[in-house]
Amino acid sequence: MEAAWLLADRRALAWDSVLINPGVLVKDSYRIHAIDDVTALHHGRNPREAIDEVTGAVAKLIVDGATLVVFNRTFDLPFLAAECRRHGLPTLEDRVGRPLKVVDPMRIHQSVQRRGGSSKLVDLALLYSPGNTASHSALGDCLATWDVLAALCRNESRAIARRAFNRSARDAQELTLRHLLALS
């Protein structure tokens, strides 16, 4: 029903969000996304065009050197690929032309935190950035994902480096993309 991307480097630099007309009634989805049938059906864009636009924009950012950050990549990336295939579009990986390297804040959190509890975006947003919650809008979730990743890097840098490369905490001076990818 909605797709978004966010380009950030210490702060949000650029973003886009698109409402998608699924072509069917959304009924109970309103409780989660706050998008009702009238809004989706009358103001949403054609799914094929919207998915092509968003996937193309993200692919260009990756080709230009951006790192892909996806919360719960094992759900979102296969879902996006399936939607691309369903609409006869090249997948994100097809567009990039190589396997995707993905930083997944959910998996990083699970790797460094031994305590139980939820790993849902809304719960991690509250844990790592009190007062900031995922809104279940696509762009709101992008912003919450960025906040969770930034807080993880700030608060858990030594644990991330230690878990990623079995280094002592003293050797973990600075997180690198390799550290984050190793736990994703």
Side-chain angles (χ1 to χ4, degrees):
M1 294 189 55
E2 193 177 17
W5 58 266
L6 167 71
L7 177 65
D9 183 7
R10 299 186 195 269
R11 62 184 174 83
L13 301 174
W15 55 88
D16 194 15
S17 177
V18 61
L19 180 63
I20 299 172
N21 176 347
V24 297
L25 298 179
V26 293
K27 299 178 185 171
D28 290 343
S29 182
Y30 179 80
R31 290 181 300 142
I32 297 170
H33 303 287
I35 300 170
D36 61 24
D37 290 325
V38 171
T39 302
L41 296 174
H42 296 290
H43 300 289
R45 293 198 32 217
N46 172 283
R48 186 179 196 284
E49 293 171 6
I51 292 166
D52 189 36
E53 179 183 308
V54 170
T55 306
V58 172
K60 182 181 181 330
L61 292 169
I62 294 168
V63 168
D64 289 348
T67 299
L68 183 60
V69 177
V70 178
F71 193 90
N72 193 6
R73 72 170 192 209
T74 59
F75 175 80
D76 281 353
L77 291 179
F79 183 83
L80 177 61
E83 286 298 300
C84 286
R85 285 190 293 274
R86 183 165 79 96
H87 293 287
L89 299 168
T91 65
L92 183 58
E93 193 165 312
D94 293 338
R95 293 168 193 248
V96 172
R98 58 181 157 75
L100 299 174
K101 293 181 178 178
V102 182
V103 172
D104 184 344
M106 183 182 86
R107 292 183 59 152
I108 294 169
H109 164 80
Q110 291 170 337
S111 294
V112 298
Q113 293 297 324
R114 291 296 180 206
R115 60 181 173 237
S118 173
S119 292
K120 292 179 181 179
L121 180 56
V122 67
D123 296 326
L124 294 187
L126 283 171
L127 175 67
Y128 288 112
S129 186
N132 179 8
T133 62
S135 66
H136 278 298
S137 72
L139 188 55
D141 286 356
C142 286
L143 290 165
T145 296
W146 178 249
D147 286 345
V148 168
L149 179 61
L152 275 166
C153 290
R154 251 188 338 269
N155 302 339
E156 306 289 347
S157 60
R158 291 180 182 218
I160 290 169
R162 190 170 48 247
R163 294 275 300 154
F165 295 108
N166 295 320
R167 293 194 176 148
S168 73
R170 286 188 313 243
D171 295 333
Q173 296 295 322
E174 180 178 314
L175 283 181
T176 67
L177 181 56
R178 284 185 26 194
H179 290 112
L180 299 174
L181 288 170
L183 292 180
S184 293

